[in-house]
Amino acid sequence: MQTPHSNRKNEHLSLATKFWRDQQTPVLGPSFEAVRWVPGPLRDMAVSTVDPSVELFGQHFDWPFYIEAMTGGSEATRRVNEDLAKVSARTGIAMAVGSQSVAIKDPAQADSFRVVREQNPEGFLIANLGADHPIENVRAAIEMIDANAIELHVNVGQEIAMAEGDRSFYWLDNLKKIVAESPVPVIIKEVGFGMGPALLSQLAELKPAAINLGGANGTSFAQIEQARDRHNDNPMDLSSYGLTTVESLLAAENAGIKTPIIATGGIRSVKDVVTSLMMGATLTSSAGHFLELLMKDGADGLEKEIRLWQQQLPLYMTLLGAQKPADLVKAKRIYSADLFNSHQQF
Ligand SMILES: Cc1cc2nc3c(=O)[nH]c(=O)nc-3n(C[C@H](O)[C@H](O)[C@H](O)COP(=O)(O)O)c2cc1C
């Protein structure tokens, strides 16, 4: 049955795809192009000795990138989740599902999430809910897909942009409780507005397993929610609100954040993955770019792209003298004047 909530999920999917396809995702500030890699000294190494895997949450990830949270909650999105999970199983990368709130309210929608575990029985799968859900819902979301971790999104920008969005945000105590009681590691994440130093420091104090700083220049929920709100002749102007992913990574560095960082937002290539790892991310993820490929070229097209990333990552790492992803932080880089300026102002 089509509820308003599942209809919203379909609209997110089609609008996000459209904006990526038409290259209309807004640019808010300096992006990955603002970081150039300085050639380093010669290293005695070979591409065959590179190990691109990372350890996080006491778990082993073969690759430092995964499919970020997008969907579930309707028949159309069930098919998308099925394809994404097939690709994640075939390529050995992790995957997050979209917010399971819709299935907590209407259990008939739970199949559109469970399908990811059916398609990827052995994979690392990440559940997803908003920061206001009680611990019982967190347990239910984890159980629904037998999740290995859970993401809680802090998405004030999206809610404010959404006509039917939340208008009160008493999240901190709840986040603290969930971090303390969740049976699996908790990741606190943004959805594309990025994070500044004060937010990062505040979230780090809650001691989540990781923070996903979800920056701008990729999927924009200001743009998506306002496109959904067709009858509003006077939308808010959110074009000044947010930080890009590279700016957020610098904010984390300046704030001395020790919590592992996941970089998401506008990652379109494995080069962007490398730059994110260089700037201190432990893991990275992509949503809109992978979705657009899936919609255009199907599961085989998305698999081809991920295999290309897997083939090229060790080449880039060798170029930069990195045996392991964590070695990339030692690689020298220069920032464009714009990005350097943001850096100075944090
Ligand atoms: C269609 C779509 C639906 C999304 N739904 C969710 C969601 O339910 N929960 C969530 O935490 N993030 C959601 N996101 C946000 C992504 O996880 C990610 O943070 C954001 O899209 C920025 O990454 P990108 O630029 O690679 O798309 C969604 C993204 C897309 C494209």
Side-chain angles (χ1 to χ4, degrees):
M1 196 189 61
Q2 193 77 333
T3 65
H5 204 157
S6 47
N7 192 38
R8 179 161 92 221
K9 299 293 150 184
N10 292 342
E11 287 187 342
H12 283 165
L13 205 67
S14 60
L15 287 166
T17 307
K18 173 184 160 14
F19 291 132
W20 276 83
R21 188 187 55 219
D22 300 346
Q23 298 188 0
Q24 285 178 343
T25 54
V27 176
L28 198 83
S31 208
F32 295 99
E33 297 71 39
V35 183
R36 285 171 51 220
W37 309 339
V38 178
L42 290 174
R43 295 268 159 66
D44 285 330
M45 66 179 286
V47 175
S48 59
T49 65
V50 166
D51 173 6
S53 68
V54 293
E55 311 289 323
L56 185 62
F57 325 129
Q59 300 271 346
H60 183 83
F61 293 83
D62 285 343
W63 299 98
F65 51 83
Y66 63 90
I67 301 171
E68 192 48 271
M70 282 185 273
T71 208
S74 68
E75 182 45 35
T77 60
R78 191 195 67 78
R79 288 192 295 272
V80 173
N81 266 345
E82 184 173 4
D83 279 347
L84 291 172
K86 252 185 222 163
V87 175
S88 80
R90 284 190 213 149
T91 56
I93 68 171
M95 171 184 167
V97 295
S99 175
Q100 293 159 267
S101 163
V102 57
I104 302 266
K105 285 185 200 130
D106 174 11
Q109 305 299 343
D111 277 353
S112 65
F113 295 97
R114 282 200 193 102
V115 67
V116 300
R117 184 50 86 194
E118 286 158 23
Q119 291 298 327
N120 191 354
E122 306 299 331
F124 193 96
L125 295 178
I126 308 171
N128 187 292
L129 278 180
D132 58 340
H133 281 265
I135 184 72
E136 297 74 41
N137 292 5
V138 167
R139 289 185 200 284
I142 293 165
E143 216 169 277
M144 198 182 294
I145 61 165
D146 189 16
N148 305 87
I150 184 161
E151 297 175 332
L152 299 175
H153 50 265
V154 290
N155 60 339
V156 179
Q158 181 186 7
E159 296 294 343
I160 292 287
M162 197 190 310
E164 73 275 34
D166 286 345
R167 293 293 180 262
S168 83
F169 303 97
Y170 298 96
W171 289 347
L172 281 168
D173 285 345
N174 192 49
L175 283 171
K176 203 171 184 175
K177 182 173 161 70
I178 293 172
V179 169
E181 296 183 21
S182 168
V184 296
V186 174
I187 303 162
I188 303 182
K189 85 182 275 279
E190 237 298 343
V191 300
F193 291 90
M195 292 191 184
L199 175 57
L200 285 157
S201 300
Q202 182 186 45
L203 296 180
E205 273 178 30
L206 303 175
K207 306 219 177 326
I211 298 173
N212 180 333
L213 42 71
N217 284 6
T219 301
S220 161
F221 273 99
Q223 181 186 40
I224 291 173
E225 296 303 347
Q226 293 187 339
R228 289 183 56 236
D229 191 16
R230 292 179 276 283
H231 305 299
N232 185 354
D233 294 331
N234 296 298
M236 287 171 73
D237 182 356
L238 294 176
S239 62
S240 295
Y241 178 74
L243 288 179
T244 67
T245 299
V246 287
E247 287 174 324
S248 303
L249 282 162
L250 287 179
E253 184 190 315
N254 280 21
I257 304 298
K258 299 282 177 277
T259 309
I261 295 290
I262 301 174
T264 308
I267 292 180
R268 291 167 164 79
S269 69
V270 70
K271 178 184 84 69
D272 300 342
V273 169
V274 172
T275 296
S276 301
L277 297 170
M278 197 184 261
M279 296 178 75
T282 301
L283 270 181
T284 68
S285 58
S286 284
H289 174 68
F290 286 164
L291 176 67
E292 204 263 325
L293 273 174
L294 181 76
M295 297 315 232
K296 183 161 61 89
D297 300 329
D300 288 348
L302 176 57
E303 181 178 341
K304 198 167 153 209
E305 173 79 347
I306 291 171
R307 292 211 184 273
L308 178 73
W309 290 23
Q310 292 173 333
Q311 183 237 324
Q312 289 186 344
L313 181 61
L315 297 172
Y316 282 116
M317 288 174 64
T318 306
L319 183 68
L320 293 163
Q323 296 277 3
K324 300 268 303 165
D327 296 338
L328 284 167
V329 290
K330 290 181 250 158
K332 292 266 181 276
R333 75 296 310 249
I334 52 175
Y335 302 137
S336 71
D338 244 16
L339 182 58
F340 188 68
N341 185 28
S342 310
H343 191 25
Q344 298 296 301
Q345 293 190 46
F346 289 134

